[in-house]
Amino acid sequence: MALTAVGLGSIIGSGWLFGAERAAALAGPAAVISWIIGAVVALTIALTYTELGAMLPRTGGMVRYAQYSHGSLAGYLAAWANWIAIVSVIPGEATASIQYMSSWDVGWARGLYDGTELTGTGVAAAAVLLVVYFFLNWFAITLFAKTNTAITVFKIVVPCLTAGTLLWAHFDTKNLTASGGFTPNGWNAVFSAVAVSGIVWAFNGFQSPLNMAAEARDPGRSMPKAVIGSILIALVIYLVLQVAFLGAVPAHLLQENGGWSGLSFNSPLADLSMAWGMNWLALLLYADAFVSPSGTGMIYAATTSRMIHGVQENGHLPSVFGKVDAKTGVPRPALLLNFVIAVAFLAVFRGWNSLAEVVGVATVISYITGPVSVMSLRRLVPALPRPVRLRGMPLVAPLAMVFGSLVMYWARWPLTGKVILIMAAGLPVWAWYELRRPWAELRPHLKAGVWMVAYLVVMAAISWAGAGDFGGRGYLAPGWDMCLVTVAALAFYVWGVRSAWHNPTLAEAITVGRPTDRADTEAEAEAEAVDDVVDDVVDDTVDEPA
């Protein structure tokens, strides 16, 4: 239950406050399809990580699995991408709260946001929120857990109440077909909305239980329930909110602004509430604009500190960032480093929209190592105890690789190229630690990780040459571009699985502690239950190899 609260608390942050409007602006009423696609992508990828997390529950788990399967180069790139994606969410949540505050009917509040990004005063106010997030995590994980449980309850109640109230107050069915029809900007816009409207951001919180797996009593039982359950619950909430938003937008605003793409709200749901005379709901939303993002911000402040701790244990940061406070169990130096980086992101990316775009692409880059790592470890250490072992994984894993690659392509050029460049910017840190090794020792790490470097280069090239609807040069015809992405994803998946090797980090992980030995009969029953869920979803499952 606690891990489910962490997962759901991470997922429901600022995404529901802005995602419905941003998705509608891109995809129109078809935004509901974008949310479903986003959930399917998140669920398939999450299934790969539940097996990894239950098998090797470690602090900062998602920054370590690629290290276990492929060594330092692939491990570092995956960790860097994941850290960039998660640490940038923290200032994004603070930005969301201040952006909603800018709609208050008070002179000083309106000066916090200029319609595109936070002003200097707005950045200062968001920085104060960052201090609060990290302050609460500084003292104890127990304080964080108790606060999060209460906040999570509030975060579920308010979105449900908002959706129900908007549906009751006004639902104009003509909005679903007016202003260009159900798909006013075409189906490619529906796909792009998944990547850049905050939908990937909105589901990204499923990894918080994985990053805190080492602190769970029985990860084999609790992790699948937490990860899968939090995604499905969030999907229902997001769909109802999206439908309510589509029906509540006044028809005259659509006409005056030239359709869905012309809409521009500082505080979308609160503005709609006031438009229909529900000031009480607007006030509640203004309050929740602090509670929901702040709850997520606190969770991410906690999980990112564990990620930095994991990166340090991988050997790519100074030893000080591996220190854990004896009293509280909190890695305080790592927490402090993330605070500094979060402030830097806040200063550079001052708007929720710009942060959502960066988070979306960086997230899917970090996702693609999960499907490869889970099947690689099945090949390398088939006898390692797995409290969660999905029979359909040989099918789910390549599907997850394809889905993640498609989302990256849908994010559009040049955004994909810019974020891939950010990934490359982290390589000097890897080089500082790894190029000191003797060539004989370094060579297998390079050989096992080159597939990921090549993958990023090829994906950037496809994005650049792709269809014009996705920002490319138009060298690839619509339809054929996504076929090429699919073929490339499967090719790199096969290359990645075959490149895995039994490296020293993996050897250490399976000989020290053996955390999965804690699995018991109930854990096995839980794993079987998850298998049944997968079998229901996937019609044609693939039997495990003998």
Side-chain angles (χ1 to χ4, degrees):
M1 184 64 182
L3 275 183
T4 302
V6 169
L8 195 57
S10 296
I11 289 174
I12 302 179
S14 59
W16 77 275
L17 293 168
F18 293 96
E21 184 217 16
R22 293 302 308 144
L26 286 170
V32 293
I33 307 298
S34 300
W35 285 103
I36 294 173
I37 294 172
V40 171
V41 171
L43 190 58
T44 55
I45 292 171
L47 287 172
T48 68
Y49 280 107
T50 55
E51 179 170 319
L52 291 168
M55 178 175 62
L56 295 166
R58 296 289 193 273
T59 298
M62 286 194 67
V63 303
R64 307 180 77 175
Y65 302 131
Q67 178 97 7
Y68 294 149
S69 61
H70 289 81
S72 68
L73 178 56
Y76 177 81
L77 285 172
W80 176 262
N82 197 262
W83 179 64
I84 291 294
I86 299 300
V87 77
S88 55
V89 169
I90 304 172
E93 300 301 330
T95 299
S97 295
I98 302 304
Q99 190 168 324
Y100 254 71
M101 187 193 297
S102 69
S103 290
W104 292 4
D105 192 17
V106 182
W108 63 266
R110 295 186 181 279
L112 298 173
Y113 183 72
D114 65 8
T116 303
E117 61 180 25
L118 298 183
T119 62
T121 306
V123 170
V128 172
L129 285 180
L130 292 182
V131 172
V132 173
Y133 300 165
F134 287 91
F135 179 81
L136 288 174
N137 278 282
W138 184 267
F139 290 99
I141 187 65
T142 53
L143 175 62
F144 152 74
K146 291 176 182 178
T147 305
N148 178 62
T149 301
I151 288 175
T152 299
V153 173
F154 189 71
K155 289 166 71 171
I156 295 173
V157 171
V158 175
C160 294
L161 178 63
T162 300
T165 304
L166 286 176
L167 286 169
W168 171 80
H170 181 82
F171 188 81
D172 190 344
T173 56
K174 294 179 181 178
N175 284 358
L176 303 180
T177 54
S179 301
F182 186 69
T183 55
N185 299 316
W187 282 101
N188 285 345
V190 176
F191 299 138
S192 288
V194 177
V196 299
S197 70
I199 292 177
V200 168
W201 178 329
F203 285 111
N204 191 33
F206 78 79
Q207 52 180 293
S208 288
L210 298 167
N211 285 324
M212 303 185 77
E215 296 166 43
R217 292 181 183 177
D218 190 348
R221 290 186 57 220
S222 58
M223 210 171 330
K225 182 178 179 180
V227 172
I228 297 171
S230 59
I231 291 174
L232 294 179
I233 293 170
L235 173 62
V236 173
I237 294 173
Y238 289 146
L239 284 177
V240 177
L241 277 166
Q242 183 67 69
V243 171
F245 177 86
L246 292 169
V249 173
H252 72 88
L253 286 182
L254 287 176
Q255 295 172 357
E256 293 170 2
N257 291 282
W260 295 102
S261 58
L263 293 179
S264 179
F265 297 106
N266 286 359
S267 312
L269 297 174
D271 291 347
L272 283 182
S273 300
M274 289 189 290
W276 298 111
M278 297 180 292
N279 292 339
W280 65 271
L281 180 59
L283 291 174
L284 181 62
L285 285 166
Y286 288 143
D288 191 70
F290 280 96
V291 175
S292 287
S294 295
T296 301
M298 285 188 289
I299 292 173
Y300 276 59
T303 57
T304 49
S305 65
R306 275 105 185 130
M307 291 168 70
I308 288 295
H309 181 271
V311 173
Q312 187 279 323
E313 290 201 348
N314 284 346
H316 297 136
L317 280 176
S319 59
V320 65
F321 295 111
K323 292 184 178 179
V324 176
D325 183 72
K327 261 188 179 180
T328 63
V330 175
R332 286 180 169 174
L335 191 66
L336 185 60
L337 173 63
N338 282 317
F339 172 73
V340 173
I341 300 301
V343 172
F345 266 94
L346 176 64
V348 176
F349 302 101
R350 298 183 170 200
W352 188 88
N353 292 340
S354 58
L355 277 165
E357 292 176 352
V358 172
V359 169
V361 181
T363 295
V364 295
I365 291 175
S366 67
Y367 279 169
I368 58 101
T369 57
V372 174
S373 291
V374 71
M375 294 307 297
S376 296
L377 291 175
R378 282 197 178 191
R379 180 174 68 82
L380 294 175
V381 284
L384 190 66
R386 288 168 169 80
V388 177
R389 186 179 178 94
L390 306 180
R391 290 193 297 271
M393 188 59 75
L395 178 60
V396 172
L399 278 177
M401 182 75 170
V402 170
F403 290 162
S405 301
L406 285 171
V407 173
M408 192 190 311
Y409 175 71
W410 295 339
R412 300 177 178 177
W413 183 267
L415 177 62
T416 49
K418 290 178 179 178
V419 178
I420 288 173
L421 188 61
I422 293 175
M423 299 302 102
L427 284 174
V429 177
W430 174 84
W432 172 261
Y433 285 95
E434 296 295 326
L435 294 185
R436 304 175 184 181
R437 297 174 183 248
W439 172 246
E441 185 179 336
L442 177 62
R443 183 175 179 274
H445 291 271
L446 293 174
K447 183 179 179 181
V450 71
W451 72 270
M452 190 169 179
V453 176
Y455 170 82
L456 294 176
V457 172
V458 169
M459 286 302 301
I462 294 175
S463 182
W464 171 82
D469 286 348
F470 295 111
R473 300 296 296 271
Y475 297 137
L476 299 175
W480 289 104
D481 54 346
M482 286 191 268
C483 288
L484 180 58
V485 171
T486 300
V487 171
L490 292 174
F492 280 105
Y493 168 79
V494 173
W495 184 4
V497 172
R498 291 181 177 178
S499 296
W501 65 298
H502 206 295
N503 63 81
T505 309
L506 175 60
E508 181 182 356
I510 63 179
T511 55
V512 178
R514 286 198 177 269
T516 50
D517 289 344
R518 293 177 295 179
D520 54 14
T521 303
E522 292 183 355
E524 293 173 2
E526 184 71 27
E528 291 176 1
V530 177
D531 277 342
D532 292 339
V533 172
V534 177
D535 289 339
D536 290 340
V537 175
V538 182
D539 293 329
D540 183 19
T541 58
V542 179
D543 292 333
E544 292 177 353

Tab-separated table of all heavy atoms in Angstrom, residues 457-491:
chain	number	residue	atom	x	y	z
A	457	VAL	N	22.254	7.907	-32.002
A	457	VAL	CA	22.652	8.562	-33.253
A	457	VAL	C	21.647	8.250	-34.364
A	457	VAL	O	21.212	9.134	-35.103
A	457	VAL	CB	24.069	8.121	-33.668
A	457	VAL	CG1	24.414	8.641	-35.060
A	457	VAL	CG2	25.104	8.618	-32.652
A	458	VAL	N	21.261	6.993	-34.481
A	458	VAL	CA	20.321	6.587	-35.525
A	458	VAL	C	18.949	7.222	-35.302
A	458	VAL	O	18.300	7.698	-36.245
A	458	VAL	CB	20.212	5.052	-35.587
A	458	VAL	CG1	19.044	4.619	-36.479
A	458	VAL	CG2	21.516	4.458	-36.105
A	459	MET	N	18.495	7.258	-34.059
A	459	MET	CA	17.186	7.859	-33.776
A	459	MET	C	17.193	9.352	-34.080
A	459	MET	O	16.203	9.903	-34.586
A	459	MET	CB	16.803	7.624	-32.314
A	459	MET	CG	16.378	6.189	-32.016
A	459	MET	SD	14.971	5.627	-33.022
A	459	MET	CE	13.727	6.832	-32.559
A	460	ALA	N	18.305	10.020	-33.809
A	460	ALA	CA	18.412	11.443	-34.153
A	460	ALA	C	18.362	11.619	-35.666
A	460	ALA	O	17.706	12.538	-36.177
A	460	ALA	CB	19.704	12.023	-33.580
A	461	ALA	N	19.032	10.733	-36.396
A	461	ALA	CA	19.058	10.825	-37.858
A	461	ALA	C	17.673	10.579	-38.450
A	461	ALA	O	17.236	11.288	-39.371
A	461	ALA	CB	20.059	9.817	-38.429
A	462	ILE	N	16.954	9.593	-37.924
A	462	ILE	CA	15.599	9.318	-38.414
A	462	ILE	C	14.680	10.493	-38.121
A	462	ILE	O	13.861	10.889	-38.956
A	462	ILE	CB	15.052	8.023	-37.787
A	462	ILE	CG1	15.859	6.817	-38.261
A	462	ILE	CG2	13.574	7.840	-38.136
A	462	ILE	CD1	15.450	5.507	-37.599
A	463	SER	N	14.819	11.065	-36.933
A	463	SER	CA	13.991	12.221	-36.575
A	463	SER	C	14.271	13.398	-37.502
A	463	SER	O	13.348	14.087	-37.959
A	463	SER	CB	14.270	12.622	-35.118
A	463	SER	OG	13.461	13.711	-34.728
A	464	TRP	N	15.540	13.621	-37.814
A	464	TRP	CA	15.926	14.716	-38.717
A	464	TRP	C	15.384	14.492	-40.125
A	464	TRP	O	14.910	15.415	-40.776
A	464	TRP	CB	17.446	14.827	-38.751
A	464	TRP	CG	17.960	15.771	-39.786
A	464	TRP	CD1	18.053	17.135	-39.687
A	464	TRP	CD2	18.454	15.437	-41.100
A	464	TRP	NE1	18.574	17.676	-40.848
A	464	TRP	CE2	18.824	16.654	-41.737
A	464	TRP	CE3	18.621	14.244	-41.790
A	464	TRP	CZ2	19.341	16.688	-43.028
A	464	TRP	CZ3	19.132	14.275	-43.067
A	464	TRP	CH2	19.486	15.492	-43.684
A	465	ALA	N	15.414	13.269	-40.596
A	465	ALA	CA	14.993	12.960	-41.968
A	465	ALA	C	13.507	12.643	-42.076
A	465	ALA	O	12.998	12.460	-43.183
A	465	ALA	CB	15.797	11.768	-42.500
A	466	GLY	N	12.823	12.601	-40.957
A	466	GLY	CA	11.450	12.113	-40.930
A	466	GLY	C	10.423	13.008	-41.578
A	466	GLY	O	10.730	14.032	-42.204
A	467	ALA	N	9.161	12.624	-41.414
A	467	ALA	CA	8.040	13.341	-42.023
A	467	ALA	C	7.936	14.759	-41.472
A	467	ALA	O	8.287	15.024	-40.314
A	467	ALA	CB	6.742	12.578	-41.774
A	468	GLY	N	7.420	15.653	-42.301
A	468	GLY	CA	7.295	17.051	-41.903
A	468	GLY	C	6.394	17.254	-40.706
A	468	GLY	O	6.585	18.188	-39.917
A	469	ASP	N	5.377	16.391	-40.538
A	469	ASP	CA	4.483	16.511	-39.387
A	469	ASP	C	5.209	16.316	-38.066
A	469	ASP	O	4.718	16.724	-37.016
A	469	ASP	CB	3.342	15.491	-39.494
A	469	ASP	CG	2.314	15.873	-40.541
A	469	ASP	OD1	2.364	17.024	-41.025
A	469	ASP	OD2	1.459	15.035	-40.892
A	470	PHE	N	6.345	15.659	-38.113
A	470	PHE	CA	7.144	15.450	-36.906
A	470	PHE	C	8.411	16.293	-36.916
A	470	PHE	O	9.400	15.964	-36.253
A	470	PHE	CB	7.486	13.966	-36.755
A	470	PHE	CG	6.281	13.091	-36.531
A	470	PHE	CD1	5.867	12.211	-37.519
A	470	PHE	CD2	5.542	13.171	-35.362
A	470	PHE	CE1	4.747	11.412	-37.339
A	470	PHE	CE2	4.424	12.381	-35.172
A	470	PHE	CZ	4.021	11.498	-36.155
A	471	GLY	N	8.398	17.377	-37.680
A	471	GLY	CA	9.497	18.334	-37.681
A	471	GLY	C	10.679	17.948	-38.543
A	471	GLY	O	11.684	18.672	-38.574
A	472	GLY	N	10.608	16.818	-39.248
A	472	GLY	CA	11.731	16.353	-40.060
A	472	GLY	C	11.818	17.041	-41.409
A	472	GLY	O	10.971	17.873	-41.772
A	473	ARG	N	12.833	16.670	-42.161
A	473	ARG	CA	13.066	17.278	-43.472
A	473	ARG	C	12.154	16.720	-44.558
A	473	ARG	O	12.166	17.186	-45.690
A	473	ARG	CB	14.530	17.071	-43.887
A	473	ARG	CG	15.539	17.677	-42.922
A	473	ARG	CD	15.415	19.190	-42.849
A	473	ARG	NE	15.739	19.800	-44.136
A	473	ARG	CZ	16.967	20.165	-44.489
A	473	ARG	NH1	17.981	19.968	-43.660
A	473	ARG	NH2	17.188	20.735	-45.666
A	474	GLY	N	11.389	15.704	-44.252
A	474	GLY	CA	10.452	15.165	-45.218
A	474	GLY	C	11.030	14.131	-46.161
A	474	GLY	O	10.394	13.764	-47.153
A	475	TYR	N	12.222	13.606	-45.854
A	475	TYR	CA	12.829	12.590	-46.706
A	475	TYR	C	12.141	11.229	-46.544
A	475	TYR	O	12.263	10.374	-47.423
A	475	TYR	CB	14.319	12.445	-46.393
A	475	TYR	CG	15.123	13.697	-46.674
A	475	TYR	CD1	16.092	14.146	-45.786
A	475	TYR	CD2	14.906	14.435	-47.837
A	475	TYR	CE1	16.828	15.300	-46.038
A	475	TYR	CE2	15.639	15.580	-48.100
A	475	TYR	CZ	16.591	16.014	-47.199
A	475	TYR	OH	17.311	17.157	-47.457
A	476	LEU	N	11.459	11.033	-45.444
A	476	LEU	CA	10.740	9.784	-45.198
A	476	LEU	C	9.244	10.031	-45.323
A	476	LEU	O	8.706	10.946	-44.694
A	476	LEU	CB	11.055	9.243	-43.800
A	476	LEU	CG	12.523	8.899	-43.516
A	476	LEU	CD1	12.715	8.501	-42.068
A	476	LEU	CD2	12.992	7.781	-44.446
A	477	ALA	N	8.573	9.244	-46.120
A	477	ALA	CA	7.140	9.412	-46.336
A	477	ALA	C	6.374	9.043	-45.072
A	477	ALA	O	6.800	8.158	-44.315
A	477	ALA	CB	6.684	8.542	-47.500
A	478	PRO	N	5.237	9.719	-44.826
A	478	PRO	CA	4.404	9.368	-43.671
A	478	PRO	C	4.027	7.888	-43.706
A	478	PRO	O	3.665	7.341	-44.745
A	478	PRO	CB	3.175	10.262	-43.847
A	478	PRO	CG	3.667	11.425	-44.633
A	478	PRO	CD	4.690	10.865	-45.583
A	479	GLY	N	4.102	7.259	-42.564
A	479	GLY	CA	3.835	5.830	-42.482
A	479	GLY	C	5.116	5.030	-42.566
A	479	GLY	O	5.404	4.195	-41.697
A	480	TRP	N	5.894	5.277	-43.604
A	480	TRP	CA	7.183	4.604	-43.747
A	480	TRP	C	8.165	5.052	-42.674
A	480	TRP	O	9.058	4.291	-42.276
A	480	TRP	CB	7.765	4.853	-45.136
A	480	TRP	CG	7.031	4.129	-46.216
A	480	TRP	CD1	6.156	4.643	-47.114
A	480	TRP	CD2	7.088	2.725	-46.488
A	480	TRP	NE1	5.660	3.667	-47.933
A	480	TRP	CE2	6.229	2.467	-47.582
A	480	TRP	CE3	7.789	1.648	-45.931
A	480	TRP	CZ2	6.035	1.189	-48.107
A	480	TRP	CZ3	7.603	0.378	-46.460
A	480	TRP	CH2	6.744	0.159	-47.534
A	481	ASP	N	8.000	6.293	-42.206
A	481	ASP	CA	8.895	6.777	-41.154
A	481	ASP	C	8.726	5.966	-39.876
A	481	ASP	O	9.707	5.540	-39.255
A	481	ASP	CB	8.671	8.267	-40.888
A	481	ASP	CG	7.215	8.592	-40.586
A	481	ASP	OD1	6.329	7.736	-40.828
A	481	ASP	OD2	6.948	9.715	-40.111
A	482	MET	N	7.468	5.689	-39.501
A	482	MET	CA	7.237	4.920	-38.279
A	482	MET	C	7.590	3.444	-38.472
A	482	MET	O	7.984	2.769	-37.516
A	482	MET	CB	5.801	5.105	-37.803
A	482	MET	CG	5.579	6.480	-37.170
A	482	MET	SD	4.018	6.656	-36.317
A	482	MET	CE	2.985	7.304	-37.624
A	483	CYS	N	7.458	2.948	-39.691
A	483	CYS	CA	7.926	1.582	-39.981
A	483	CYS	C	9.432	1.487	-39.781
A	483	CYS	O	9.940	0.503	-39.206
A	483	CYS	CB	7.562	1.195	-41.413
A	483	CYS	SG	5.806	0.885	-41.675
A	484	LEU	N	10.162	2.515	-40.232
A	484	LEU	CA	11.610	2.519	-40.070
A	484	LEU	C	11.993	2.588	-38.596
A	484	LEU	O	12.933	1.903	-38.153
A	484	LEU	CB	12.218	3.699	-40.826
A	484	LEU	CG	13.745	3.834	-40.759
A	484	LEU	CD1	14.423	2.574	-41.284
A	484	LEU	CD2	14.213	5.059	-41.537
A	485	VAL	N	11.277	3.410	-37.819
A	485	VAL	CA	11.541	3.487	-36.376
A	485	VAL	C	11.328	2.119	-35.730
A	485	VAL	O	12.130	1.673	-34.895
A	485	VAL	CB	10.631	4.544	-35.713
A	485	VAL	CG1	10.743	4.462	-34.189
A	485	VAL	CG2	11.003	5.939	-36.182
A	486	THR	N	10.259	1.432	-36.117
A	486	THR	CA	9.961	0.117	-35.555
A	486	THR	C	11.056	-0.891	-35.872
A	486	THR	O	11.532	-1.623	-34.994
A	486	THR	CB	8.616	-0.391	-36.090
A	486	THR	OG1	7.574	0.528	-35.728
A	486	THR	CG2	8.282	-1.766	-35.535
A	487	VAL	N	11.472	-0.922	-37.131
A	487	VAL	CA	12.533	-1.852	-37.543
A	487	VAL	C	13.835	-1.533	-36.811
A	487	VAL	O	14.534	-2.439	-36.313
A	487	VAL	CB	12.737	-1.801	-39.069
A	487	VAL	CG1	13.973	-2.593	-39.478
A	487	VAL	CG2	11.501	-2.336	-39.788
A	488	ALA	N	14.168	-0.243	-36.724
A	488	ALA	CA	15.395	0.151	-36.035
A	488	ALA	C	15.340	-0.239	-34.561
A	488	ALA	O	16.325	-0.736	-33.991
A	488	ALA	CB	15.620	1.658	-36.178
A	489	ALA	N	14.188	-0.020	-33.927
A	489	ALA	CA	14.045	-0.359	-32.505
A	489	ALA	C	14.251	-1.849	-32.276
A	489	ALA	O	14.955	-2.256	-31.338
A	489	ALA	CB	12.673	0.069	-32.009
A	490	LEU	N	13.668	-2.684	-33.122
A	490	LEU	CA	13.825	-4.131	-32.966
A	490	LEU	C	15.266	-4.569	-33.222
A	490	LEU	O	15.785	-5.460	-32.537
A	490	LEU	CB	12.869	-4.858	-33.914
A	490	LEU	CG	11.376	-4.716	-33.576
A	490	LEU	CD1	10.517	-5.353	-34.660
A	490	LEU	CD2	11.059	-5.335	-32.215
A	491	ALA	N	15.911	-3.936	-34.211
A	491	ALA	CA	17.304	-4.275	-34.506
A	491	ALA	C	18.205	-3.941	-33.321
A	491	ALA	O	19.074	-4.744	-32.927
A	491	ALA	CB	17.768	-3.535	-35.758
